[in-house]
Amino acid sequence: MARKRVGLYPGTFDPITNGHLDIIKRGLRLVDRLVIGVATNPSKDPLFSLEERVAMVDREARPMAEELGVEFEVAQFDELLMHFAERVGADIIIRGLRAVADFEYEFQMTGMNYQINPDIETVFLMADPKYQTIASRLVKEVARYDGKISSFVPASVAEAVVKRVAESRQ
């Protein structure tokens, strides 16, 4: 019996966007098991708590995994990415690329990760062109200025973002 290929897609997911979901859906086709690692990353001043982000990612992505018959897990982490990857048994790290700026950052990160563990490959998936301009940071900014975000995130996520932004104004 062949060993299962395990992929890890890490991110902050604050909030999860349609671009993230596009990468998840495509990543699910590459692996037998996908772990989505939700990073604490307090330096990004998250709008949602870690627990809320984990629940949001699970709710939005699990149906895709079930439809494709791929094992799926969402887990939080607050450690070096490669240590987390080793802990979950990942063979590959899945990363999404939107633009050249993403590539420069990811290029450096991949080089460092390779030095830490050369047995875990990094696979880059280009975002679908219709999602290349979407970033969680920009979704939050548009929402803070009462802009429409429904084309950037799933409906339930848009609702949660709008509600949280309104709460933060009180």
Side-chain angles (χ1 to χ4, degrees):
M1 185 170 150
R3 189 171 91 67
K4 291 186 177 185
R5 180 169 300 274
V6 178
L8 170 60
Y9 179 39
T12 307
F13 305 106
D14 185 49
I16 190 166
T17 68
N18 291 337
H20 292 130
L21 291 169
D22 175 58
I23 298 298
I24 290 168
K25 184 175 187 177
R26 292 166 50 216
L28 284 164
R29 295 182 185 135
L30 302 175
V31 297
D32 302 301
R33 178 171 183 258
L34 180 64
V35 177
I36 300 184
V38 181
T40 53
N41 208 343
S43 66
K44 287 193 174 181
D45 190 28
L47 185 62
F48 295 98
S49 72
L50 185 57
E51 293 74 20
E52 289 170 319
R53 288 181 280 133
V54 166
M56 199 178 292
V57 169
D58 190 72
R59 180 184 67 238
E60 298 301 329
R62 183 168 297 280
M64 292 186 290
E66 290 174 351
E67 182 181 322
L68 293 170
V70 176
E71 290 179 33
F72 179 78
E73 175 187 357
V74 180
Q76 61 188 41
F77 73 102
D78 184 18
E79 62 188 299
L80 194 61
L81 174 61
M82 295 310 279
H83 292 167
F84 180 63
E86 291 165 357
R87 195 160 52 83
V88 300
D91 301 293
I92 64 171
I93 306 289
I94 296 171
R95 301 295 294 167
L97 291 176
R98 292 174 300 201
V100 173
D102 283 351
F103 178 78
E104 291 175 16
Y105 170 79
E106 295 293 345
F107 181 81
Q108 288 181 324
M109 180 78 76
T110 299
M112 291 293 290
N113 288 342
Y114 186 81
Q115 295 295 317
I116 295 167
N117 186 335
D119 295 326
I120 300 175
E121 289 293 337
T122 300
V123 175
F124 295 103
L125 298 175
M126 291 300 299
D128 182 305
K130 66 185 171 195
Y131 302 127
Q132 286 181 355
T133 60
I134 300 173
S136 296
R137 176 183 55 80
L138 296 175
V139 168
K140 291 183 284 191
E141 190 171 324
V142 169
R144 284 184 181 114
Y145 288 98
D146 299 320
K148 185 177 172 189
I149 61 171
S150 59
S151 61
F152 308 131
V153 296
S156 63
V157 173
E159 186 178 309
V161 170
V162 168
K163 181 179 178 190
R164 183 58 50 89
V165 167
E167 289 170 354
S168 71
R169 291 180 179 151
Q170 297 176 2

